Amino acid sequence: MAQIERESMEYDVVIVGAGPAGLSAAIRLKQLDADLNVVVLEKGSEVGAHILSGAVLDPVGLDALIPDWKEKGAPIKTEVKADNFYMLGEAGKIRIPNWPMPPLMNNHGKYIVSMANVCRWMAEQAEGLGVEIFPGFAASELVYGENGEVKGVVAGVMGLNSDGTPGPNFEPGMELHGKYVFLSEGVRGSLAKEIIARYDLSKGHCPQKFGIGMKEIWEIDPAKHREGTVTHTMGWPLGKNAGGGSFIYHLENNQVYVGFVVHLNYQNPHLYPYMEFQRFKHHPMVAELLKGGKRVAYGARAISEGGWQSIPKVVAPGVALLGCSAGLVNVPRIKGNHNAMLSGMAAAEAAHEAIKAGRAGDELAAYETELRSGPIAKDLKKVRNVKPMWSRWGMIPSLVFGGFDMWTNNLFGVSLFGTLKHGKTDAAATGEASKFPVIDYPKPDGVLSFDRLTNVSFSFTNHEESQPAHLKLKDPSVPVSVNLPKFAEPAQRYCPAGVYEIVEKDGKPEFVINFQNCVHCKTCDIKDPSQNINWTTPQGGDGPNYPNM
């Protein structure tokens, strides 16, 4: 592919990813200078297609970006009216009162939203300002300049055969060059991963930590619907097997978002995150809510959980990492969209000043400074010890000490614990199968709980089967020769879409990759204990097509 000649287009700023970070950057650039040439590349079939809908949005980022968003008709209408937190046992629950929780944990004044719809609206605002947005145009390669700086990306490569050779309808794509390139690909993006490794951006920082978030949209009995109600839970069914919890958000039209997060630093390779989610829905509290309802959509996505300690250096020559590409999620609040928007704005402002000064292809040091001293830093520093406490001490001690730490940070701006470090990577945390018990999961009943492949059909995922598999093995022998005997090949279980399986062929085990099922969660790239799986970008438009709800 290196010998292929491509046409090129020149821009001031090239942005990869039409999520909240990338769109905020594009809007802010055009607000600052209407004459700047800005392009946004989106690998989904449309803006929002790869955004896993359903979140509680802190509007602080949008307030700063588009102060009159209400007047402009933003699809942000369901204000939080009730905020509940429960500790679950197998058959019961205990409500944790709101009053001992730090103010930053309060969801009142926030909004339950479909982030897919919010991003579609933001794309309309960006295009109204003159931003070019190309959906279905996946950025698959970085383009480097003579001095090692990032000068652009390759996007729009289509029509490759399954072996990677050009097919009859091959399109070589284009090179899009920019004075600066912004990577806002979301969690564990393939280009951001390359940049972090190439420029050693994680040096001096903790390894990034992750969770896998799975979500279903349900239409429920109107008599049970409580618009504006937010519920979070911890405890059952995970127990001591893994960290994590759930969320249930009541939005409009008798719909609820039912979600479940499992921290990926779990040790037992027999753990099956998807089945933990399905089992959760059989808890009496949840089952009663969903009884008589129907599931209308499903999706899954990795979540960055490392927080303040794990944010890499976010700039390198010609390039900047935005939003979840940098890992800006506030874990205890389960919120990152506000920081994504703020990071996009900060990067845009730094790039605008640089371009105005006649610079290009250098490091946007002003963005790095703003991220580590501005509102994003203030948000993440207050909660920096919650995740490492949970990893070290478990759920209950982390609730007690984490709550105390957030209070002291909130009131006095200091922590008696300093800054705790994260340990090993999530992949390295995986233990040997022989040292842990096999977990017996009940069979899905098809009413409240569902098998993976049935649920994947509700993500409306599509991949052209003749294209090369975008899930690549560094060594094809490792899954059977190493991962199977040592870890019971956990890819069979940690993938929430049933992509990986071990089958028997001619009396021998064989590792099969059903890449057509992939919902682009990136869990395999993160959790594989041998770090043998490399998630790359498939052809443009392929992947999930989350519904416009």
Side-chain angles (χ1 to χ4, degrees), residues 215-483:
K215 187 178 300 179
E216 294 172 357
I217 303 176
W218 281 71
E219 291 179 357
I220 64 169
D221 181 346
K224 301 175 184 177
H225 187 250
R226 302 289 183 269
E227 185 173 314
T229 296
V230 166
T231 298
H232 292 103
T233 77
M234 296 171 65
W236 190 88
L238 291 173
K240 294 182 180 179
N241 286 324
S246 81
F247 54 90
I248 302 173
Y249 302 153
H250 291 243
L251 62 159
E252 59 264 30
N253 301 321
N254 299 315
Q255 289 190 335
V256 294
Y257 297 128
V258 182
F260 199 79
V261 177
V262 177
H263 300 171
L264 288 176
N265 62 349
Y266 63 83
Q267 293 179 288
N268 186 345
H270 300 295
L271 187 83
Y272 196 158
Y274 175 84
M275 290 307 298
E276 296 286 351
F277 175 32
Q278 299 307 303
R279 184 161 62 167
F280 158 75
K281 290 182 291 175
H282 286 274
H283 188 276
M285 180 186 79
V286 186
E288 177 58 31
L289 175 69
L290 300 181
K291 184 180 178 181
K294 64 176 182 178
R295 160 217 48 184
V296 296
Y298 165 75
R301 185 60 50 87
I303 303 167
S304 61
E305 295 186 339
W308 180 250
Q309 299 91 315
S310 297
I311 299 173
K313 184 179 178 183
V314 294
V315 295
V319 67
L321 307 180
L322 277 55
C324 282
S325 290
L328 305 182
V329 171
N330 184 313
V331 173
R333 296 181 72 198
I334 319 180
K335 292 178 179 63
N337 290 307
H338 63 299
N339 284 337
M341 293 179 183
L342 292 170
S343 73
M345 293 177 63
E349 289 163 4
H352 169 251
E353 289 299 320
I355 293 169
K356 189 169 66 172
R359 292 159 43 204
D362 60 341
E363 292 191 359
L364 293 172
Y367 169 49
E368 180 87 23
T369 299
E370 171 62 18
L371 187 146
R372 298 192 184 275
S373 61
I376 295 173
K378 291 181 175 65
D379 184 61
L380 295 181
K381 278 185 176 180
K382 291 178 181 178
V383 302
R384 64 189 183 275
N385 289 325
V386 174
K387 170 66 174 176
M389 283 178 175
W390 196 333
S391 299
R392 293 183 187 192
W393 303 329
M395 180 176 63
I396 299 300
S398 72
L399 280 176
V400 175
F401 292 111
F404 174 76
D405 193 53
M406 285 189 286
W407 266 112
T408 59
N409 271 292
N410 188 74
L411 292 173
F412 309 114
V414 297
S415 169
L416 299 181
F417 298 92
T419 299
L420 300 178
K421 303 296 185 183
H422 296 299
K424 57 186 73 172
T425 66
D426 294 330
T430 311
E432 295 185 19
S434 61
K435 298 179 180 178
F436 295 89
V438 174
I439 302 173
D440 183 29
Y441 290 99
K443 185 178 179 180
D445 66 359
V447 179
L448 291 177
S449 50
F450 313 96
D451 66 83
R452 278 187 300 189
L453 295 186
T454 298
N455 238 358
V456 168
S457 71
F458 282 78
S459 69
F460 310 100
T461 292
N462 178 66
H463 292 88
E464 175 56 53
E465 295 189 16
S466 63
Q467 70 177 292
H470 63 283
L471 302 161
K472 303 183 185 302
L473 301 180
K474 299 174 185 176
D475 182 343
S477 71
V478 164
V480 171
S481 65
V482 178
N483 284 1

Side-chain angles (χ1 to χ4, degrees), residues 34-78:
D35 293 329
L36 287 174
N37 293 317
V38 181
V39 64
V40 179
L41 309 175
E42 168 54 43
K43 66 182 174 67
S45 59
E46 63 170 331
V47 173
H50 291 181
I51 302 290
L52 188 54
S53 293
V56 173
L57 176 68
D58 183 339
V60 62
L62 199 57
D63 288 341
L65 181 67
I66 307 175
D68 57 345
W69 54 266
K70 289 184 180 179
E71 291 75 14
K72 289 186 174 179
I76 303 172
K77 305 182 185 303
T78 306

